C-alpha cells in the first residue's frame, strides 16, 4: 500500500523461500526494490494510466509495445473474437445462478478447450491465438451467464466497443458506459495483467510443464486465483470495508481487531516488502469515481483503514 503520510516504517523481513529460484520469465519483475512492478522492462507506473489494456496485452503476448497500426489491427482482431460458440452458450445456460463467477469462467475455458483444442505440438502462434480468443470472449461468457441466470435473458455478446473494458461494461449495463468507467476498467486491467510468480501463475506453469495444453493451465490458474488466500482476498477486503457506515466506525473497529491480533486482509505482501506500487494508481481512480458519484463513504472508510494499518 502507498504510504499516505510521512510515517516512518520498517521493511518487512523476507519470507522463508526468498531468493530461491522458481523459474525464469521475461514477462515481468516484481518487488525487486520492495515496491516496483515492471512488464517486459516497463515500469507499471508509466503504463497503467497511459496505455490501453490492448497495448498491455500486445506487449505481454507478443513481446513489444505495438505501433499505432499494429494496435489498430490488434483491436479489430479482438473485437471479432468476442462471440461465443453455441455449445458454450448451452453449457453456460445450465450453470446455476448461485455459481461463483470464477467457476463460470473456469467452466467456459474448459469448454473452449474441447471445442477449439490446442495442437499437441503447442505452437507459439497457436498459443497466442488462444490467449487472444480467451481474453476477448471471457467477459462475453461471464455476462451471458449472468444475464441468463438472473433473468432468463440471452444477450447479444457482440459490441463495437474498441476496448475490452468498454465491452464488458456495455454488456453488464446494456448500454455504453461513461468514459470515466471505461478508463477505470482499463487501469485496473493493466495493473492486474501480469504478476510474475504469484500462486495462479505458478500453478499454470506447473501444469504447462507437464506438457498439458494451455486451456488446462488456465483452468488450473483460475482455480488457484479463486482461493481466499489469493484473488479471493479482494472479496474479503471489500467485505471488511463494506461492513462500516462511516470512517470513524471503521477506525474504532479496526483498532479493536488489531489489539486482538486479528489479521486485516488486504495489507501486507510477501514480495512487496515496502509497498504495493499499484495502490497509488488505483487509489486515485477510486477517488475520482467516488467524487463523480457524489459518495465518498466507501473511499473514506478504505483510506482511514489504510492510514491505521500504516501506523
Amino acid at each position: 500500500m502507498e504510504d499516505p503520510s510521512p510515517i516512518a516504517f520498517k521493511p518487512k523481513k523476507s519470507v522463508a523461500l526468498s531468493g530461491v529460484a522458481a523459474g525464469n520469465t521475461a514477462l515481468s519483475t516484481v518487488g525487486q526494490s520492495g515496491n516496483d512492478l515492471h512488464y517486459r522492462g516497463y515500469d507499471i507506473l508509466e503504463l497503467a494510466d497511459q496505455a490501453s489494456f490492448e497495448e498491455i496485452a500486445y506487449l505481454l503476448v507478443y513481446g513489444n509495445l505495438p505501433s499505432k497500426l499494429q494496435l489498430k489491427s490488434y483491436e479489430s482482431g479482438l473485437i471479432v473474437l468476442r462471440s461465443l460458440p453455441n455449445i458454450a452458450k448451452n453449457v453456460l445456460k445450465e450453470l446455476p445462478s448461485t455459481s461463483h463467477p470464477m467457476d463460470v469462467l473456469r467452466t467456459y475455458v474448459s469448454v473452449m478447450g474441447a471445442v477449439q483444442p490446442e495442437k499437441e505440438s503447442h505452437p507459439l502462434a497457436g498459443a497466442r491465438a488462444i490467449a487472444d480468443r480467451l481474453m476477448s470472449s471471457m467477459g462475453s461468457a461471464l455476462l451471458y451467464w449472468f444475464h441468463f441466470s438472473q433473468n432468463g435473458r440471452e444477450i447479444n455478446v457482440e459490441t463495437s466497443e474498441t476496448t475490452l473494458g468498454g465491452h464488458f461494461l456495455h454488456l453488464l449495463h446494456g448500454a455504453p458506459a461513461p468514459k470515466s468507467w471505461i478508463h477505470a476498467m482499463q487501469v485496473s486491467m493493466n495493473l492486474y495483467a501480469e504478476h510474475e510468480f504469484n500462486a495462479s501463475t505458478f500453478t499454470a506453469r506447473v501444469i504447462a510443464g507437464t506438457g498439458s495444453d494451455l486451456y488446462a493451465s488456465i483452468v488450473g490458474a483460475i482455480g488457484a486465483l479463486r482461493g481466499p488466500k489469493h484473488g479471493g482476498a479482494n472479496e474479503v477486503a471489500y467485505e471488511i470495508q463494506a461492513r462500516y457506515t462511516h470512517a470513524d466506525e471503521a477506525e474504532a473497529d479496526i483498532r479493536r481487531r488489531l489489539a486482538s491480533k486479528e489479521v486485516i486482509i488486504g495489507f501486507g505482501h510477501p514480495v512487496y516488502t515496502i509497498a504495493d506500487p499499484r495502490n497509488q494508481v488505483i487509489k486515485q481512480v477510486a477517488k475520482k469515481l467516488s467524487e463523480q458519484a457524489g459518495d465518498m463513504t466507501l473511499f473514506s472508510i478504505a483510506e482511514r483503514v489504510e492510514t491505521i494499518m500504516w501506523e
Side-chain angles (χ1 to χ4, degrees):
M1 289 294 185
E2 179 191 13
D3 188 349
S5 67
I7 300 173
F9 60 88
K10 296 180 180 179
K12 290 169 54 181
K13 294 181 179 180
S14 60
V15 294
L17 294 178
S18 292
V20 177
N24 298 310
T25 178
L27 290 174
S28 69
T29 55
V30 179
Q32 289 192 329
S33 67
N35 64 340
D36 66 280
L37 172 61
H38 290 77
Y39 294 168
R40 292 194 183 274
Y42 293 93
D43 192 330
I44 189 60
L45 298 182
E46 297 176 359
L47 296 175
D49 195 45
Q50 301 299 319
S52 70
F53 174 73
E54 286 67 27
E55 289 179 277
I56 298 300
Y58 192 97
L59 170 66
L60 293 174
V61 175
Y62 293 90
N64 55 270
L65 285 171
S67 65
K68 290 184 178 180
L69 184 61
Q70 287 174 322
L71 178 60
K72 185 175 182 180
S73 176
Y74 190 53
E75 289 172 342
S76 298
L78 293 179
I79 289 174
V80 175
L81 297 174
R82 292 173 182 172
S83 61
L84 302 174
N86 286 331
I87 187 172
K89 291 181 179 179
N90 292 335
V91 171
L92 291 168
K93 286 191 288 187
E94 293 298 321
L95 300 180
S97 60
T98 54
S99 299
H100 192 284
M102 296 297 286
D103 295 338
V104 174
L105 291 178
R106 183 184 63 192
T107 300
Y108 171 69
V109 174
S110 285
V111 171
M112 293 301 292
V115 175
Q116 299 176 0
E118 181 182 18
K119 293 182 179 180
E120 292 187 7
S121 59
H122 308 307
L124 179 58
R128 285 171 168 163
I130 291 171
D132 288 344
R133 180 76 167 98
L134 292 179
M135 271 193 298
S136 299
S137 62
M138 287 175 79
S140 299
L142 183 61
L143 290 167
Y144 183 86
W145 160 80
F146 174 76
H147 287 293
F148 184 83
S149 67
Q150 298 301 313
N151 54 40
R153 184 163 59 92
E154 296 184 52
I155 64 169
N156 176 12
V157 297
E158 298 178 37
T159 73
S160 59
E161 297 284 349
T162 304
T163 68
L164 289 177
H167 173 66
F168 182 91
L169 291 171
H170 190 147
L171 293 186
L172 178 61
H173 298 286
K179 290 183 179 180
S180 59
W181 294 15
I182 296 175
H183 177 69
M185 282 289 292
Q186 290 270 83
V187 173
S188 180
M189 292 166 71
N190 287 348
L191 294 175
Y192 280 100
E194 168 58 29
H195 212 242
E196 201 184 56
F197 283 101
N198 59 38
S200 50
T201 303
F202 188 73
T203 299
R205 286 176 67 100
V206 170
I207 295 173
T210 69
S212 190
D213 67 321
L214 183 58
Y215 294 102
S217 301
I218 295 174
V219 168
I222 292 174
L225 185 63
R226 166 90 154 82
K229 292 184 179 180
H230 191 13
N234 289 334
E235 296 178 66
V236 179
Y238 170 74
E239 290 169 1
I240 289 174
Q241 296 169 26
R243 66 191 175 200
Y244 306 117
T245 57
H246 53 79
D248 290 343
E249 179 189 358
E251 177 173 354
D253 186 58
I254 292 297
R255 289 191 183 281
R256 179 184 62 79
R257 292 173 184 272
L258 289 173
S260 300
K261 306 297 183 182
E262 285 191 36
V263 174
I264 309 300
I265 299 296
F267 298 88
H269 196 284
V271 178
Y272 296 123
T273 54
I274 297 175
D276 188 332
R278 298 171 297 181
N279 176 64
Q280 61 182 284
V281 180
I282 203 65
K283 182 177 179 180
Q284 291 306 309
V285 171
K287 184 178 181 180
K288 289 179 181 178
L289 288 178
S290 298
E291 290 172 344
Q292 290 175 8
D295 185 356
M296 299 295 293
T297 303
L298 191 58
F299 180 86
S300 298
I301 290 172
E303 188 172 47
R304 184 73 65 85
V305 173
E306 178 188 27
T307 301
I308 295 168
M309 294 304 296
W310 269 105
E311 291 178 3

